[in-house]
Amino acid sequence: KNQVEQSPQSLIILEGKNCTLQCNYTVSPFSNLRWYKQDTGRGPVSLTIMTFSENTKSNGRYTATLDADTKQSSLHITASQLSDSASYICVVSDDYKLSFGAGTTVTVRA
Amino acid sequence: GAVVSQHPSWVICKSGTSVKIECRSLDFQATTMFWYRQFPKQSLMLMATSNEGSKATYEQGVEKDKFLINHASLTLSTLTVTSAHPEDSSFYICSARDLDRDYEQYFGPGTRLTVT
């Protein structure tokens, strides 16, 4: 069964600090890995998409890494802002279906 | 960028009634749309895959007679929750697949359904 596991489940950081979220997956075959940001009561918004050959991709203060050999990915948030408070979901695609992680809830405090 | 809209954004209905949720791709054509359900503090769960002009494919455990899906055009899919019960209260999210953009999926803003 294709699985996507994220850690930590939740974290609290102070504004301006950095944090890293982890994602491990067993999805096969692998097409791409995506990180989404989901604000409370809203739909997910894409942050990054990485294919097998890409090992890092940035979107502003968000940087995602991918190690396709170990099937691990991370999302690094730099200089966090209050607006970064949200759930971050790791999603892995096998060319047709998406497998969702449970998400990491990030709370940024002033 | 690609935009997917949902209507309504929230709805409250009485137990036993039916409610329809619309999902539209505003600036691209989507031959495939997906319907998800999300309970509080949980991730999205795929309910069904909707292909334009054909019957939807439902995930295991999802009642096709309860959750009616229609995908009559390349920009519109609808989900009708029939004979709604309080346990159907959830956040329903659709996504649309853009064939012109390497099969990228774009998510709608979601619809909050509350059944009283």
Side-chain angles (χ1 to χ4, degrees):
Chain A
K1 179 181 178 181
N2 289 335
Q3 287 189 318
V4 179
E5 296 184 354
Q6 293 186 242
S7 61
Q9 185 175 28
S10 63
L11 64 92
I12 300 172
I13 58 173
L14 293 177
E15 187 178 16
K17 298 296 185 182
N18 305 334
C19 68
T20 301
L21 316 179
Q22 300 292 339
C23 173
N24 296 335
Y25 63 93
T26 61
V27 175
S28 181
F30 174 86
S31 177
N32 57 70
L33 184 145
R34 314 149 184 233
W35 283 94
Y36 287 89
K37 177 186 179 187
Q38 185 179 22
D39 293 313
T40 301
R42 304 292 295 174
V45 174
S46 180
L47 295 176
T48 63
I49 302 175
M50 289 181 293
T51 59
F52 185 89
S53 60
E54 299 174 294
N55 55 26
T56 186
K57 184 164 281 190
S58 292
N59 178 358
R61 294 179 296 100
Y62 300 102
T63 299
T65 65
L66 172 65
D67 186 335
D69 291 331
T70 62
K71 299 187 176 182
Q72 297 179 325
S73 176
S74 67
L75 180 69
H76 187 76
I77 305 175
T78 303
S80 61
Q81 300 177 357
L82 297 177
S83 59
D84 292 332
S85 294
S87 178
Y88 292 84
I89 306 172
C90 175
V91 182
V92 183
S93 173
D94 64 359
D95 262 344
Y96 189 71
K97 274 192 175 180
L98 303 182
S99 294
F100 290 78
T104 293
T105 301
V106 174
T107 302
V108 181
R109 290 187 174 166
Chain B
V3 178
V4 175
S5 69
Q6 284 185 237
H7 178 80
S9 56
W10 60 271
V11 58
I12 301 172
C13 69
K14 292 187 176 181
S15 186
T17 62
S18 296
V19 61
K20 179 185 287 187
I21 302 170
E22 292 185 349
C23 176
R24 293 181 184 272
S25 57
L26 299 185
D27 52 359
F28 66 97
Q29 293 186 329
T31 56
T32 305
M33 289 185 173
F34 303 85
W35 285 96
Y36 297 86
R37 181 167 50 183
Q38 185 177 33
F39 292 105
K41 299 190 183 297
Q42 295 185 22
S43 194
L44 283 72
M45 293 173 51
L46 180 65
M47 297 176 65
T49 301
S50 166
N51 292 298
E52 186 265 337
S54 63
K55 291 184 178 181
T57 302
Y58 290 82
E59 294 299 300
Q60 189 174 11
V62 178
E63 301 175 58
K64 62 180 181 181
D65 294 329
K66 181 172 184 59
F67 298 98
L68 301 179
I69 292 173
N70 182 279
H71 192 164
S73 78
L74 289 174
T75 59
L76 173 65
S77 177
T78 60
L79 168 68
T80 301
V81 183
T82 63
S83 186
H85 291 283
E87 57 264 31
D88 297 325
S89 298
S90 187
F91 193 53
Y92 292 87
I93 304 174
C94 74
S95 71
R97 193 166 175 174
D98 187 347
L99 293 180
D100 291 335
R101 302 188 189 194
D102 295 330
Y103 293 86
E104 174 61 85
Q105 280 192 39
Y106 299 94
F107 288 87
T111 296
R112 172 72 61 191
L113 169 63
T114 301
V115 184
T116 61

